[in-house]
């Protein structure tokens, strides 16, 4: 952990805020601060993004075990293989696959090297122990041997083997992208992915998917024993469903719908916000929503939004950036949903900037789950941009706000100050499509003002008041950075690989139907 190099430039940051926020009002596909008038990257901007991509890819090279082609979950900032975490997950493997394609498409590695790398990974994944009836993969494996882990190598803590819907969704995304991007490997990738049955997570009684399941009794009183897809024996599902709409599990939902494993009506089965006409039943959530009821495919939907500093936003669960914006790295939601996602994504980014620059006054922004500069891993976000009452907070002190909920609780005064805010660079890369100038300026400030950039690109997180930096690289976070850069440098090749075909045919019409409650944009 090393301190920032120069004092925080709060005055300069504040002076730039209004211009930066204004840029988020309309989507843009190019990095404007490094572009010509048409939004395409200029020569200068292209070089900067390629530098970021080359350095970020170096972290994947260091994290990945050559023999198995499996990336480790994380590695130290000096990229020493001895500092690897010793475990990996389906999400990490998916991130490595799409990052390898990105490295090829932007010219960092040859087509031959990319094919060899992905072939090794696919061969290993095909041999991993999995839950055969569903075709789904367990959450933790050894990247060295491919063995399913029953204890964490770092702590020795026991692991109850779990099969996560969201993690398997990201692996399936990587497999789909690989098959489309490298025809020579299509059969191998499709053979694995075609066995993955997302209907095994889908509960038709509530029209939502579960968080996942254990195939052995976890001795968890909240678990629910059952079988949704005709398995030979019951499994133990998580006690919760993924009920919030604007969160990262929607990728698993999209893939299940595209494959015909989950009905299309499921798209309308989750909450934009909880209903606003149910008295105090939902008063444990962030605040009372505004909205009206609609109906799509026979499903009643409350088209709710939450107010935040002059904006009406369809929130995520916790208020973090990756919940909202990881999925559109691969699915062109704002193009397919012109009256829904096209409005909400830029507003969501605008809200994150507003919090970091004005409300909390950090001088930096971009809040998303990441390594904790003080040690460990933590969820960070903007509390008021989430459905959950406590939400994810943006600082180390966990400063939150119990807002009023009309007719149910008075709430408390808004915070007048925040503590040691923690920003993560991957959040700025996710925002780059929707607020290009602000995103690249934010990254530049983080790089200049802190010891936040190393041989593998941006370190994972920075606490902006103490200057503490988490000098580690995470496969998931680096994978989001690579995908964002790949799209920016290649004209959305990663989106094209994933979204064509069944996704476009079965999911795009659903997005086109809906009009979010904020279709009028920001409040005056």
């Amino acid at each position: 952990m090393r301190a920032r190099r120069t004092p925080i430039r709060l005055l300069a940051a504040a002076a730039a805020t209004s211009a930066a926020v204004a840029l988020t009002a309309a989507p843009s596909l190019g990095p404007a601060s490094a572009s010509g008038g048409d939004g395409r990257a200029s020569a200068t901007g292209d070089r900067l993004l390629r530098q970021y991509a080359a350095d970020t890819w170096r972290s994947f090279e260091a994290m990945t075990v050559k023999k198995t082609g499996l990336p480790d979950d994380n590695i130290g900032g000096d990229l020493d293989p001895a500092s690897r975490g010793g475990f990996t997950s389906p999400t990490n493997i998916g991130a490595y696959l799409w990052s390898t394609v990105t490295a090829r498409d932007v010219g960092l590695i040859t087509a031959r090297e990319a094919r060899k790398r992905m072939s090794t990974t696919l061969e290993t994944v095909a041999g991993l122990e999995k839950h055969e009836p569903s075709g789904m993969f367990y959450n933790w494996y050894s990247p060295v041997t491919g063995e399913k882990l029953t204890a964490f190598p770092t702590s020795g803590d026991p692991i109850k083997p779990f099969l996560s819907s969201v993690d398997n969704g990201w692996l399936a995304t990587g497999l789909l992208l690989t098959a489309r991007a490298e025809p020579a490997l299509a059969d191998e990738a499709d053979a694995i992915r075609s066995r993955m049955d997302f209907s095994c997570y889908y509960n038709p009684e509530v029209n939502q998917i579960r968080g996942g399941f254990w195939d052995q009794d976890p001795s968890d009183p909240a678990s629910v024993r059952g079988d949704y897809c005709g398995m030979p024996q019951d499994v133990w599902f998580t006690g919760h469903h993924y009920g919030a709409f604007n969160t990262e599990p929607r990728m698993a939902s999209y893939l299940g719908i595209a494959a015909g494993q989950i009905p299309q009506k499921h798209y309308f089965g989750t909450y934009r916000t909880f209903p606003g006409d149910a008295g105090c039943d939902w008063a444990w959530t962030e605040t009372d929503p505004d909205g009206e009821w609609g109906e799509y495919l026979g499903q009643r939907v409350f088209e709710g939004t939450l107010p935040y500093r002059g904006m009406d936003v369809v929130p995520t669960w916790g208020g973090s950036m990756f919940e909202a914006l990881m999925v559109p790295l691969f699915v062109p939601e704002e193009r397919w949903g012109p009256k829904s996602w096209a409005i909400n994504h830029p507003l969501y980014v605008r809200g994150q900037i507003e919090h970091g620059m004005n409300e909390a006054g950090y001088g930096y922004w971009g809040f998303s789950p990441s390594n904790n500069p003080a040690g460990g891993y933590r969820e960070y976000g903007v509390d008021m941009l989430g459905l959950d009452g406590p939400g994810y907070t943006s600082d180390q002190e966990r400063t939150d706000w119990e807002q009023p909920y009309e007719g149910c609780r008075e709430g408390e005064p808004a915070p007048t100050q925040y503590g040691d805010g923690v920003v993560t660079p991957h959040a700025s890369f996710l925002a780059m499509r929707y607020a290009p100038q602000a995103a690249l300026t934010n990254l530049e400030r983080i790089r200049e003002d802190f010891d936040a950039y190393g041989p593998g690109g941006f370190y994972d997180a920075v606490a902006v008041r103490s200057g503490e930096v988490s000098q580690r690289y995470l496969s998931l976070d680096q994978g989001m950075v690579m995908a964002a850069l790949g799209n920016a440098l290649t004209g959305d090749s990663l989106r094209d690989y994933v979204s064509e075909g069944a996704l476009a045919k079965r999911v795009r019409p659903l997005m086109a139907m809906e009009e979010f409650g904020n279709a009028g944009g920001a409040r005056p």
Side-chain angles (χ1 to χ4, degrees), residues 107-463:
L108 302 177
I109 60 176
T110 66
R112 180 179 180 180
E113 180 182 346
R115 188 161 51 247
K116 183 178 180 180
R117 284 177 174 273
M118 291 187 288
S119 178
T120 300
T121 304
L122 293 176
E123 182 178 356
T124 299
V125 171
L128 294 177
E129 182 181 351
K130 60 180 179 290
H131 182 249
E132 293 293 340
S134 65
M136 294 297 174
F137 291 82
Y138 295 96
N139 251 33
W140 304 113
Y141 297 90
S142 164
V144 176
T145 66
E147 179 184 10
K148 181 182 74 176
L149 293 179
T150 56
F152 276 111
T154 49
S155 65
D157 292 341
I159 297 173
K160 296 177 181 178
F162 181 69
L163 301 109
S164 160
S165 54
V166 65
D167 281 276
N168 275 285
W170 291 120
L171 173 58
T173 300
L175 292 167
L176 175 60
L177 190 148
T178 298
R180 298 275 176 75
E182 182 46 75
L185 301 177
D187 288 346
E188 292 93 325
D190 285 340
I192 301 168
R193 187 176 59 85
S194 64
R195 293 283 313 281
M196 301 174 75
D197 187 351
F198 286 93
S199 72
C200 297
Y201 297 115
Y202 173 71
N203 183 352
E205 292 185 6
V206 298
N207 196 21
Q208 295 174 359
I209 62 173
R210 294 276 186 180
F213 62 82
W214 299 266
D215 58 355
Q216 297 181 13
D217 188 350
S219 300
D220 182 342
S223 64
V224 177
R225 191 169 180 175
D227 176 9
Y228 298 139
C229 59
M231 293 182 270
Q233 61 184 34
D234 285 353
V235 296
W236 287 262
F237 290 103
T238 56
H240 73 279
H241 299 84
Y242 283 126
F245 178 59
N246 187 16
T247 52
E248 79 281 2
R250 69 186 185 273
M251 190 69 202
S253 297
Y254 292 172
L255 293 168
I257 292 170
Q261 299 165 348
I262 297 176
Q264 288 177 296
K265 69 177 183 179
H266 167 56
Y267 184 84
F268 303 107
T270 50
Y271 294 102
R272 282 61 180 156
T273 66
F274 296 119
D277 55 1
C280 295
D281 290 350
W282 302 101
W284 56 271
T285 60
E286 185 63 33
T287 189
D288 52 316
D290 183 48
E292 298 179 355
W293 286 92
E295 184 170 333
Y296 309 92
L297 301 184
Q299 307 300 302
R300 293 188 74 226
V301 178
F302 183 70
E303 299 290 4
T305 61
L306 296 186
Y308 179 61
R309 295 176 72 88
M311 293 166 272
D312 295 308
V313 180
V314 177
T316 61
W317 174 249
S320 71
M321 195 74 93
F322 101 107
E323 293 174 287
L325 296 182
M326 187 173 177
V327 172
L329 292 172
F330 306 99
V331 180
E333 291 177 315
E334 78 282 344
R335 287 201 287 110
W336 291 1
K339 295 182 179 180
S340 54
W341 297 115
I343 296 158
N344 205 67
H345 287 333
L347 280 175
Y348 197 88
V349 173
R350 178 177 171 182
Q352 284 244 340
I353 297 173
E354 174 67 20
H355 178 73
M357 301 297 283
N358 287 339
E359 183 175 39
Y362 298 136
Y364 312 86
W365 57 273
F367 310 97
S368 196
S370 66
N371 259 22
N372 184 340
Y377 184 87
R378 227 195 84 183
E379 296 90 351
Y380 297 97
V382 179
D383 173 29
M384 292 71 72
L385 292 176
L387 273 174
D388 188 30
Y392 302 159
T393 54
S394 63
D395 62 7
Q396 299 290 52
E397 292 78 6
R398 296 185 184 271
T399 304
D400 64 358
W401 179 25
E402 184 180 60
Q403 297 190 66
Y405 198 109
E406 187 175 358
C408 302
R409 67 168 185 259
E410 293 184 3
E412 58 188 20
T416 58
Q417 62 181 14
Y418 286 78
D420 196 6
V422 175
V423 297
T424 179
H426 80 252
S428 291
F429 284 100
L430 291 177
M432 191 165 59
R433 177 184 300 275
Y434 307 101
Q437 178 77 52
L440 291 180
T441 298
N442 193 49
L443 288 167
E444 179 186 5
R445 288 181 179 141
I446 291 171
R447 186 175 181 179
E448 288 183 353
D449 294 351
F450 305 92
D451 194 1
Y453 200 90
F458 284 96
Y459 295 127
D460 202 55
V462 177

Side-chain angles (χ1 to χ4, degrees), residues 46-61 79 102-103 106-109 453-457 478 481-482 485 489:
D46 186 84
R47 285 194 298 271
L48 176 64
L49 298 186
R50 286 182 185 278
Q51 177 203 336
Y52 288 161
D55 292 341
T56 305
W57 171 245
R58 192 173 296 115
S59 71
F60 270 107
E61 292 180 311
L79 302 184
T102 296
V106 304
L108 302 177
I109 60 176
Y453 200 90
Q478 297 295 85
V481 173
M482 285 296 290
L485 289 168
L489 288 166

